[in-house]
Amino acid sequence: DGGITQSPKYLFRKEGQNVTLSCEQNLNHDAMYWYRQDPGQGLRLIYYSQIVNDFQKGDIAEGYSVSREKKESFPLTVTSAQKNPTAFYLCASSTQGLEAFFGQGTRLTVV
Amino acid sequence: AQRVTQPEKLLSVFKGAPVELKCNYSYSGSPELFWYVQYSRQRLQLLLRHISRESIKGFTADLNKGETSFHLKKPFAQEEDSAMYYCALGNGANNLFFGTGTRLTVIP
């Protein structure tokens, strides 16, 4: 069953804590992306990676970090430096044709 | 720099009426344009892309390079078309840039 999987679906974080969101794909896609979705603001790009061991900052990278040690995996860490982390996070992957496949998303809430 | 603009955050139309969701882009190269749709409780998914020039679920979109637009159109809206629609720009380097989205509501 091919696809892109995000976990967990819901995540709660205490103030000052780092938290890592998982994103795994078995589509053999080179590119992977992390977006943040807020009401009324659409999708905003956090980080993207075109190949293993390489990634680039998107529009709102501050307070986030990523790694790309394997082609299949692109975890996102929301650090304590992110001032407003409560949001819906979407991971996507794409191939050269640029059709992006999205995960189901992770809703992060700071408590 | 590349940018995608969707000027309407919300759009409501009556069932059977024509619908047009606007998308404008800025990009110095040759763009690849897409429309993505997110139905309630479903994943964001590709609706159509300009290079295939296809009609999906009755929707079409024509790339107008002179006006730098890629508006999404459907002649007769259906209730099941109610969703969030995102226009996206690909720059040929595996980078995808999305607009802020338009929430379409089709009124019965």
Side-chain angles (χ1 to χ4, degrees), chain A residues 20-54:
Chain A
T20 298
L21 284 61
S22 170
C23 180
E24 303 278 332
Q25 55 100 359
N26 60 6
L27 299 167
N28 200 33
H29 287 169
D30 289 315
M32 296 187 75
Y33 311 81
W34 274 106
Y35 295 93
R36 173 176 169 143
Q37 190 177 33
D38 294 286
Q41 297 202 50
L43 289 173
R44 291 185 291 168
L45 182 64
I46 304 172
Y47 268 99
Y48 62 96
S49 168
Q50 297 181 31
I51 55 172
V52 174
N53 291 324
D54 184 59

Side-chain angles (χ1 to χ4, degrees), chain A residues 8 10-21 62-65 76-86 89 108-111:
Chain A
Y10 299 96
L11 191 55
F12 296 89
R13 191 195 90 172
K14 291 184 180 178
E15 294 270 2
Q17 266 186 342
N18 290 357
V19 65
T20 298
L21 284 61
E62 185 175 349
Y64 300 97
S65 67
L76 173 74
T77 297
V78 185
T79 75
S80 56
Q82 169 50 235
K83 298 305 178 190
N84 185 23
T86 294
Y89 292 88
L108 173 63
T109 304
V110 174
V111 296

Side-chain angles (χ1 to χ4, degrees), chain A residues 4 33 37 42 48 99-100 102, chain B residues 36 43 49 86 94-95 100:
Chain A
I4 181 164
Y33 311 81
Q37 190 177 33
Y48 62 96
E99 176 180 353
F102 284 83
Chain B
Y36 282 80
R43 298 181 186 221
R49 68 186 86 184
Y86 290 95
N94 262 350
N95 299 342
T100 50

Side-chain angles (χ1 to χ4, degrees), chain B residues 27-62:
Chain B
Y27 179 56
S28 57
S30 184
E32 296 192 39
L33 277 300
F34 307 82
W35 276 99
Y36 282 80
V37 60
Q38 189 172 29
Y39 300 105
S40 179
R41 298 189 187 87
Q42 293 188 28
R43 298 181 186 221
L44 192 61
Q45 59 188 290
L46 179 67
L47 179 62
L48 56 78
R49 68 186 86 184
H50 89 272
I51 56 172
S52 56
R53 301 185 64 81
E54 56 197 345
S55 173
I56 303 293
K57 299 184 179 182
F59 284 98
T60 59
D62 291 319

Side-chain angles (χ1 to χ4, degrees), chain B residues 63-100:
Chain B
L63 176 61
N64 186 325
K65 291 188 177 180
E67 295 182 359
T68 60
S69 68
F70 189 58
H71 304 326
L72 183 68
K73 300 178 183 179
K74 185 170 182 177
F76 307 104
Q78 303 299 315
E79 289 179 64
E80 56 265 28
D81 296 329
S82 294
M84 192 75 176
Y85 291 81
Y86 290 95
C87 183
L89 167 70
N91 65 359
N94 262 350
N95 299 342
L96 265 180
F97 299 90
F98 284 82
T100 50

